[in-house]
């Protein structure tokens, strides 16, 4: 099936599900059917995730469908719910709300002390055991936490691939065709379930850059006239080369994901990522982001705290 046909089918499927869900809400008003409605919407979103894996180039349309489904889901939750609102409000508060508590810092120091003397698989196992214990969010919430919170500076977000700064404010999510979420580790390559919503590897991007990268591996583009070249990032259709300012962040996000979710990185890509890790060392902004994500997920990216761990692990 051609990609344009896939897009049309996906869009029609999502909108029909959304409309039918909305009709069901109206028909069942006043009945104790909250859990049934939630189940139907959750199933629809789950099916949409599966469709997305088979149509990665339709991500913008799929994201729009998911936003509509989640909007319907929100409408079924009463104002006294403790599930959704506090997390979104947390993402919109000032710096004090995302500061790392003294207890977390003490716990972090104790954990890293337990890693002393470990190398290779032993170190990898110790890091996985600790970092995999984290809070997770549904995808819609994770997107809002990134775009309206973690990567939001005074209402602006910067595309990590192009450097383009987009004004989105801090109260309402922007359209998916303007600002999107990049899964540094692609969904079709293993970023499923809670791994899909792990904020340590999610970043704000333009929809175009997100679509161009798709699920391509990271690498060095040698073509002097690549198919895509914006803001220092390039793509030749086989690999995606990240601009210098974000290369280290990408590498450490990939190492984190590989560690926590026990997903191997192919040898060729790992060699490039190790070089990017050295060429673009950890900076204050990356440390601050690690703090923000910890405040939300209760875990950290250890390769930001201890960049030397990368050289102490032979194979990711």
């Amino acid at each position: 099936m051609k990609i344009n046909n896939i897009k049309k089918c996906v869009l029609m499927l999502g909108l029909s599900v959304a409309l039918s869900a909305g009709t069901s809400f109206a028909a069942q008003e006043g009945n104790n059917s909250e859990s049934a409605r939630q189940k139907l919407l959750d199933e629809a979103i789950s099916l949409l995730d599966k469709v997305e894996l088979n149509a990665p180039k339709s991500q913008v349309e799929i994201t729009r469908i998911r936003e509509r489904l989640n909007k319907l889901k929100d409408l079924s939750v009463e104002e006294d719910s403790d599930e959704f609102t506090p997390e979104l409000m947390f993402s919109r508060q000032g710096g004090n709300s995302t500061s790392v508590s003294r207890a977390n810092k003490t716990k972090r120091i104790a954990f890293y002390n337990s890693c002393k003397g470990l190398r290779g698989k032993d170190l990898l196992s110790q890091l996985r055991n600790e970092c995999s214990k984290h809070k997770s969010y549904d995808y819609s919430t994770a997107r809002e936490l990134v775009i309206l919170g973690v990567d939001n500076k005074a209402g602006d977000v910067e595309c990590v691939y192009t450097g383009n700064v987009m004004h989105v404010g801090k109260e309402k999510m922007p359209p998916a065709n303007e600002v999107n979420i990049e899964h540094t580790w692609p969904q079709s390559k293993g970023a499923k379930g809670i791994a899909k919503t792990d904020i340590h590897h999610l970043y704000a991007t333009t929809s175009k850059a997100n679509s161009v990268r798709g699920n391509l591996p990271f690498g060095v583009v040698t073509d002097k006239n690549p198919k895509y070249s914006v803001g220092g990032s390039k793509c030749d259709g086989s690999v995606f080369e990240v601009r210098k300012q974000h290369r280290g962040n990408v590498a450490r996000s990939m190492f984190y994901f590989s560690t926590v979710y026990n997903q191997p990185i192919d040898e060729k890509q790992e060699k490039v990522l190790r070089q990017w890790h050295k060429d673009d060392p950890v900076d204050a902004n990356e440390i601050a982001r690690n703090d923000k994500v910890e405040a939300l997920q209760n875990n950290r990216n250890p390769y930001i705290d201890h960049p030397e761990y990368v050289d102490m692990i032979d194979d990711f």
Side-chain angles (χ1 to χ4, degrees), residues 250-304:
V250 158
R252 288 177 282 275
S253 292
M254 290 287 283
F255 295 148
Y256 164 88
F257 191 99
S258 174
T259 299
V260 174
Y261 300 103
N262 199 20
Q263 295 277 346
I265 302 175
D266 64 274
E267 184 177 355
K268 186 175 181 180
Q269 187 173 201
E270 183 176 338
K271 183 177 180 181
V272 172
L273 293 174
R274 285 181 180 274
Q275 188 60 52
W276 288 0
H277 168 67
K278 293 178 180 178
D279 293 344
D280 178 28
V282 175
D283 58 23
N285 287 332
E286 193 173 3
I287 294 171
R289 191 180 199 273
N290 205 17
D291 289 343
K292 290 179 180 179
V293 178
E294 181 187 17
L296 296 169
Q297 289 193 177
N298 298 322
N299 78 333
R300 297 179 67 81
N301 182 338
Y303 303 109
I304 294 174

Side-chain angles (χ1 to χ4, degrees), residues 39-52:
K39 184 178 180 181
L40 284 171
L41 279 171
D42 288 339
E43 288 176 352
I45 293 170
S46 178
L47 287 171
L48 193 62
D49 290 342
K50 292 179 180 178
V51 173
E52 186 172 20

